[in-house]
Amino acid sequence: MLRTITDENFNEVLNEGMPLVLDFWAGWCGPCRAIAPIIDGLASEYDGKVIIGKVNVDENNEIVSRYGIRNIPTVMFFKDGQSVDKQVGAAARSAYVGKIEELLK
């Protein structure tokens, strides 16, 4: 299940004890819209194993500033509450799957 991550719920989600994948996006971003079906599909595929969420960069300045997001889409990967990897720019589904599988090791 795809989750909406905000400045208000981020720390709670980060500390849920599951790997976390965050898609930083905006409605006006073409590449963000292009990868949205991939992210949505991965959220269903990895439901119960990994939390996959979307962060609207126009509405959540604290998270964006905290992680220095300057380009979107940026997809960040967290394990044990720490950022361990990221993908800047749109990528193929296989790139995201590979990084998610690394989180599960």
Side-chain angles (χ1 to χ4, degrees), residues 1-84:
M1 175 180 75
L2 190 64
R3 306 225 345 228
T4 299
I5 308 301
T6 65
D7 287 339
E8 290 75 29
N9 72 2
F10 173 68
N11 286 327
E12 178 183 321
V13 173
L14 186 64
N15 294 314
E16 283 186 27
M18 290 178 67
L20 173 64
V21 176
L22 290 183
D23 173 19
F24 290 86
W25 70 285
W28 48 263
C29 169
C32 299
R33 290 191 307 269
I35 69 164
I38 295 170
I39 300 299
D40 292 349
L42 293 171
S44 295
E45 185 177 335
Y46 287 95
D47 191 31
K49 298 177 187 169
V50 176
I51 298 169
I52 299 182
K54 295 178 78 77
V55 178
N56 185 320
V57 298
D58 292 330
E59 298 172 356
N60 297 285
N61 293 328
E62 287 178 33
I63 304 170
V64 170
S65 295
R66 181 173 177 176
Y67 292 103
I69 304 300
R70 290 181 174 79
N71 299 301
I72 55 172
T74 293
V75 179
M76 294 190 68
F77 301 83
F78 296 82
K79 187 170 186 173
D80 299 324
Q82 301 295 317
S83 171
V84 295

